[in-house]
Amino acid sequence: MVQRVDVTGAGGVRLAAWEFRDTAAEAGPRPGVLLLHGLMGRAFHWSGTARWLRENRRVVALDQRGHGQSDRPPGGPYTREAFVADAEAAVEQLGLAPVTLIGHSMGALTAWQLAARRPDLVEALVICDMRASALGAASQQEWEDWFHRWPLPFPTQDAARRWFGEDDPRVERPDPARGAFFAEVMHEAPDGWRPLFSRRQMLTARETWVHDAHWEELAQVRCPTLVVRGLDGELGRAEAQEMVRVLPAGQYAEIPDAGHYLHYDQPTAWRAAVEPFLDGIKAEAP
């Protein structure tokens, strides 16, 4: 069972949060989990993860501003401060604290920035394939060029799936999981299938973090933290291991045969990497 619960984010932005409930689970208080998708993602990308998490936890996934069914204010803001404040509002308004934050890519950055700023709210953290190093202006320009190459509108959702999984110049070999991931963020418009988000807003959001390194905030995270990377993802092994070293209570895991969308790409291996970490946190709780 999935229930929508609206959250009021920073500046009054309406955010769609989705609570994944297990009707067979025991009643009573359960540890809270907030799932934060990456840039261009949506809450329902976490559906597979939520299905096993909800067996003994209260699980909420957030459509972040500009994404999914949350508001997309034309003037933003799409700053780091706004995304972190939105996640903070979700934790507080939904009574999830002390919460475990699980974030993918940009959502992982939001998660560790919230954990650094509000340690009273966060019990544990999972960072999924997000770098702490600055990516720079060249990376931002590559993204802008890539967005211009999208052959919009797609005639069908399957056409979008094929392009992102096979025909996209950024794809070195067929990647069905990547195709499915992007097909889920397309909707049917009058002229064909288009993304749920504004590409301009995505570039604006990325601009606010891509030029900066985020090591200092990472070092301020005091809760137990698992850094997970896909072997073929964007976070390299050396940087991931340095992140673990910088974290006061860091742990490391990697998933073979997985790219950037590892939780979506290899769900069984993802669970095998994350679940023991979460069970360990639960066992240590008073």
Side-chain angles (χ1 to χ4, degrees):
M1 174 183 175
V2 183
Q3 179 180 359
R4 174 173 171 162
V5 185
D6 283 351
V7 170
T8 302
V13 172
R14 182 193 56 82
L15 304 170
W18 305 88
E19 184 163 356
F20 292 78
R21 295 184 172 180
D22 186 347
T23 54
E26 295 181 8
R30 299 192 294 167
V33 176
L34 182 65
L35 302 167
L36 297 170
H37 62 74
L39 193 72
M40 303 182 294
R42 63 183 305 188
F44 282 99
H45 279 143
W46 290 111
S47 294
T49 298
R51 276 194 290 271
W52 56 267
L53 280 174
R54 69 184 180 182
E55 294 172 5
N56 47 32
R57 296 172 178 84
R58 184 182 172 203
V59 182
V60 176
L62 182 67
D63 274 335
Q64 296 175 78
R65 62 175 56 213
H67 297 77
Q69 294 189 31
S70 289
D71 283 350
R72 294 181 281 279
Y78 294 99
T79 60
R80 284 285 81 223
E81 290 73 17
F83 281 103
V84 174
D86 288 346
E88 180 180 2
V91 172
E92 293 189 320
Q93 291 174 31
L94 300 178
L96 294 172
V99 71
T100 293
L101 299 175
I102 302 178
H104 171 242
S105 196
M106 183 193 73
L109 176 58
T110 299
W112 89 58
Q113 289 180 327
L114 177 57
R117 298 176 195 186
R118 290 293 308 273
D120 57 307
L121 294 182
V122 184
E123 180 178 50
L125 173 64
V126 178
I127 295 171
C128 177
D129 213 63
M130 178 60 188
R131 300 183 61 182
S133 298
L135 301 180
S139 172
Q140 187 72 353
Q141 185 62 54
E142 287 173 5
W143 271 65
E144 185 171 356
D145 295 343
W146 176 53
F147 276 152
H148 284 310
R149 289 199 294 268
W150 289 19
L152 295 176
F154 293 102
T156 64
Q157 192 176 27
D158 280 342
R161 180 180 290 107
R162 285 193 301 273
W163 193 82
F164 286 104
E166 300 175 16
D167 300 331
D168 183 348
R170 291 168 63 112
V171 176
E172 295 181 359
R173 59 181 182 274
D175 189 342
R178 185 178 188 271
F181 186 96
F182 279 97
E184 277 201 36
V185 293
M186 298 290 154
H187 72 110
E188 191 170 14
D191 60 345
W193 288 78
R194 293 182 175 274
L196 286 166
F197 49 80
S198 158
R199 290 172 293 169
R200 176 186 58 80
Q201 290 176 353
M202 296 300 99
L203 284 173
T204 299
R206 196 172 187 271
E207 183 76 28
T208 67
W209 56 262
V210 72
H211 300 289
D212 301 317
H214 306 282
W215 294 99
E216 184 175 347
E217 286 169 304
L218 190 70
Q220 295 169 5
V221 175
R222 299 296 167 187
C223 63
T225 302
L226 178 67
V227 178
V228 189
R229 63 177 291 268
L231 206 59
D232 298 317
E234 296 180 7
L235 175 61
R237 178 178 291 150
E239 183 172 351
Q241 291 177 342
E242 179 63 11
M243 289 169 67
V244 172
R245 190 193 67 79
V246 165
L247 284 158
Q251 300 180 37
Y252 173 77
E254 67 180 29
I255 298 177
D257 302 320
H260 181 57
Y261 307 99
L262 56 161
H263 60 301
Y264 199 85
D265 190 10
Q266 298 290 342
T268 301
W270 160 254
R271 178 176 182 175
V274 174
E275 192 169 31
F277 169 77
L278 297 180
D279 287 344
I281 302 304
K282 184 180 173 184
E284 293 172 7

